Amino acid sequence: ETGVTQSPTHLIKTRGQQVTLRCSSQSGHNTVSWYQQALGQGPQFIFQYYREEENGRGNFPPRFSGLQFPNYSSELNVNALELDDSALYLCASTPEVGRNTEAFFGQGTRLTVV
Amino acid sequence: GESVGLHLPTLSVQEGDNSIINCAYSNSASDYFIWYKQESGKGPQFIIDIRSNMDKRQGQRVTVLLNKTVKHLSLQIAATQPGDSAVYFCAETRMDSSYKLIFGSGTRLLVRP
């Protein structure tokens, strides 16, 4: 098991609602990335946080936003939830920006939008 | 565009046999290729990576082969065990824009007892 922890593990939300997912990075890791994994698909990059700033973003709308805290933990916020947002949301931490080959993933948060 | 894909969505092998999982990539500028294993209910777990200037790398029971001529990546698992049953993803990343991993869609490996 990695030291990356995510909460909650599962949740169900209604379309139009907002959700916040949380991630604690591996000890010694200062960079956190978020990925969305639809059923039967590979993870898709949402964005990365480094030094509490967004450091790169994938093809996701602005209603996907995030935060990183001084202790390197991170939150993913999704507003105005849509049915297609149902997916496994994965958090990955790396020791430094640019060291993706050393990424450790959490177990993910399974979000279901109904 | 950028893409990393897989030839076979499901692979079924007999326990003890060798497994080969294949992946095609489209971006020749990739610096690293990585194989991940994802078990049900878990996040992807790093297996092995290979730098773009190499053509083979071996780990414990696993070997990754990279053929840049045809943009093909493979993962070989020796003496496949029931614990190897999972979904396997290849991914690529680049040093110049290395803030992300680009994943393929995955291959499910089923190990028959």
Side-chain angles (χ1 to χ4, degrees), chain A residues 1 14 16 23 38-39 58 60 69 76 90 109:
Chain A
E1 297 293 329
T14 302
C23 171
L39 197 60
F60 281 82
F69 300 98
L76 165 65
L90 294 162
T109 294

Side-chain angles (χ1 to χ4, degrees), chain A residues 1 33 35 37 40-45 48 55-57 88 90 97-101 103 105-107, chain B residues 32 34 36 38 41-46 49 89 93-95 97-106:
Chain A
E1 297 293 329
S33 299
Y35 291 81
Q37 186 177 21
Q41 303 287 324
Q44 298 292 312
F45 176 75
Q48 182 187 77
N55 180 50
R57 188 180 185 91
L88 180 68
L90 294 162
V97 66
R99 290 168 62 176
N100 280 315
T101 57
F105 283 84
Q107 84 283 2
Chain B
Y32 281 94
I34 308 163
Y36 287 94
Q38 187 174 24
K42 296 185 179 180
Q45 177 186 0
F46 174 92
D49 64 4
F89 293 97
T93 191
R94 297 189 298 280
M95 299 307 291
S97 59
S98 55
Y99 49 78
K100 63 182 178 181
L101 293 160
I102 300 172
F103 285 85
S105 57

